[in-house]
Amino acid sequence: MNLRKGNLMSVREDVKLLDATIRDGGLCNNFMFSDEFVKELYKANVKSGIDYMEFGYKASTEMFDENEFGKWKFCKEEDLRSIVGENISDMKIAVMADVGRCDYKKDFLPKKDSVIDMVRVACYIHQIPSAIEMIEYLHELGYETSCNVMAISQASKEQIDGALELLCNSDVDVIYLVDSYGSLYPENATELTTMYVNAAEKVGKKIGFHAHNNQNLAFANTIETLSYGVSYLDATIMGIGRGAGNCATELLLGFLRNPKYNLFSVLKFIEKYMIPLKEQGIVWGFDLQYMFTGQFNMHPREAMKFTSDKRRDYCNFYESLIDNV
């Protein structure tokens, strides 16, 4: 039985495109984006029909030194408003809050007093109870919420079933399938999507997908999961993001058939801001070291160190990973 939702020419009204350029891309430069860069990205996203723009993290200033990071590590209300004002656009504003790395009871205003629309709660599967506590609190404040369960490729089916049961009984709006290690292939991404969608549809929740590009499959996995019922799609301009990066926004804008999406403003932003960012030496994107960690279903931290050390001894690095598998 074909469980695909629509076809290549379909326009699905449930599909939402979320730009995570500042948040995931901020992991490449400690969130040191200029105000001009963020403002122009905001305007480009609005013109392109992007549904959500994730500005960064809502991290605790008690845990992280504000002198070591740009403002989008913390997403203070006044900084957000300096970019978006009252956000008189159809695009919604999102931030991410990591379980254990934020002061959510102190740092979030009631929704009526904030320009933020959605809070994306990120956790590992063993942190689901803590994530739900955050979600319920933020729901009471009036925010849309998602739960982004990271590193799902290392969880067992029983763990995933248990997590989905807990989340489906919570007030969360969107449950995210997150390929943190870029280790999924379209086939097993589809299997996981089916599990998520079947659980979520029974209680009226939506599913999202966040891909990493360790094996050059971020776009392929994103459109494959989309075809099996994922509604919320994460992407970044030119795929900027931690390590191998993410699914590229421009690929999805060129693929989705909804006429509300427009590629031209993103292309102009790439020309004026992303190319110079690359030329400044900010590093992201597919490389062999990330392919290795993706194939071995490993956290990319060793590959990231390999990259920062400017190493090129791929064979030695590959052998060292084999020894640790």
Side-chain angles (χ1 to χ4, degrees):
M1 182 172 65
N2 188 351
L3 300 175
R4 292 185 188 270
K5 315 285 187 182
N7 56 51
L8 286 173
M9 296 306 295
S10 297
V11 173
R12 276 179 36 206
E13 298 300 330
D14 63 301
V15 171
K16 307 296 180 187
L17 186 51
L18 182 144
D19 174 72
T21 297
I22 302 300
R23 202 274 306 165
D24 216 318
L27 298 170
C28 301
N29 70 345
N30 285 341
F31 304 90
M32 299 291 187
F33 296 106
S34 69
D35 285 357
E36 179 186 353
F37 182 99
V38 178
K39 181 77 170 181
E40 292 304 313
L41 176 60
Y42 168 75
K43 293 193 292 190
N45 282 337
V46 170
K47 290 177 182 177
S48 298
I50 302 293
D51 300 284
Y52 291 80
M53 178 174 171
E54 186 178 47
F55 273 74
Y57 285 97
K58 198 78 165 168
S60 168
T61 55
E62 299 294 321
M63 297 178 65
F64 297 94
D65 186 345
E66 291 184 76
N67 295 318
E68 294 182 5
F69 298 93
K71 63 182 72 172
W72 309 111
K73 177 78 171 178
F74 308 99
C75 286
K76 295 178 181 178
E77 189 72 24
E78 60 268 26
D79 292 328
L80 289 167
R81 288 183 181 273
S82 73
I83 301 296
V84 309
E86 292 294 324
N87 186 31
I88 50 172
S89 76
D90 292 332
M91 185 175 72
K92 294 184 177 182
I93 305 304
V95 296
M96 180 167 280
D98 278 347
V99 168
R101 295 182 178 179
C102 63
D103 296 319
Y104 65 95
K105 291 186 177 179
K106 184 181 81 172
D107 290 340
F108 282 97
L109 301 169
K111 168 64 192 97
K112 64 183 178 62
D113 300 321
S114 176
V115 76
I116 297 168
D117 297 291
M118 172 182 270
V119 182
R120 309 210 307 160
V121 176
C123 67
Y124 291 101
I125 201 158
H126 68 277
Q127 298 172 314
I128 292 284
S130 296
I132 290 175
E133 181 179 322
M134 286 178 61
I135 286 161
E136 302 299 337
Y137 179 84
L138 294 162
H139 175 79
E140 287 297 314
L141 290 183
Y143 293 100
E144 296 177 38
T145 57
S146 77
C147 187
N148 294 39
V149 188
M150 300 180 289
I152 205 66
S153 58
Q154 291 199 329
S156 67
K157 181 181 183 303
E158 290 73 21
Q159 287 176 311
I160 296 170
D161 284 337
L164 289 172
E165 182 178 0
L166 289 171
L167 288 168
C168 285
N169 286 316
S170 76
D171 283 317
V172 76
D173 299 295
V174 186
I175 304 169
Y176 260 85
L177 168 57
V178 183
D179 184 16
S180 301
Y181 300 165
S183 62
L184 295 181
Y185 299 96
E187 183 176 359
N188 51 9
T190 296
E191 292 173 0
L192 288 167
T193 297
T194 301
M195 290 174 63
Y196 277 58
V197 170
N198 287 345
E201 283 184 341
K202 294 173 184 175
V203 290
K205 299 187 187 302
K206 299 296 185 183
I207 299 300
F209 184 67
H210 180 89
H212 277 266
N213 203 37
N214 296 62
Q215 300 187 83
N216 265 334
L217 288 171
F219 176 59
N221 285 338
T222 298
I223 62 174
E224 184 73 357
T225 59
L226 164 68
S227 77
Y228 281 93
V230 161
S231 300
Y232 283 66
L233 311 176
D234 282 16
T236 62
I237 308 292
M238 287 184 72
I240 187 173
R242 184 205 67 191
N246 306 105
C247 179
T249 304
E250 56 272 22
L251 281 170
L252 285 179
L253 286 173
F255 172 80
L256 294 169
R257 296 294 176 258
N258 193 327
K260 77 172 183 175
Y261 295 126
N262 186 310
L263 181 59
F264 189 73
S265 294
V266 163
L267 295 179
K268 289 179 68 176
F269 182 82
I270 288 172
E271 287 181 10
K272 190 169 182 182
Y273 293 98
M274 295 302 294
I275 300 301
L277 197 68
K278 273 272 192 187
E279 291 171 346
Q280 291 166 22
I282 307 300
V283 177
W284 75 89
F286 172 82
D287 206 337
L288 287 173
Q289 62 270 30
Y290 295 118
M291 181 187 80
F292 302 152
T293 58
Q295 289 175 340
F296 291 138
N297 193 15
M298 298 170 65
H299 192 288
R301 63 175 62 89
E302 294 298 325
M304 292 164 67
K305 186 176 187 308
F306 181 98
T307 304
S308 65
D309 290 344
K310 295 183 167 60
R311 288 173 57 184
R312 290 293 181 266
D313 56 326
Y314 296 108
C315 288
N316 288 337
F317 182 63
Y318 185 69
E319 288 176 352
S320 73
L321 293 181
I322 291 175
D323 291 340
N324 291 312
V325 173

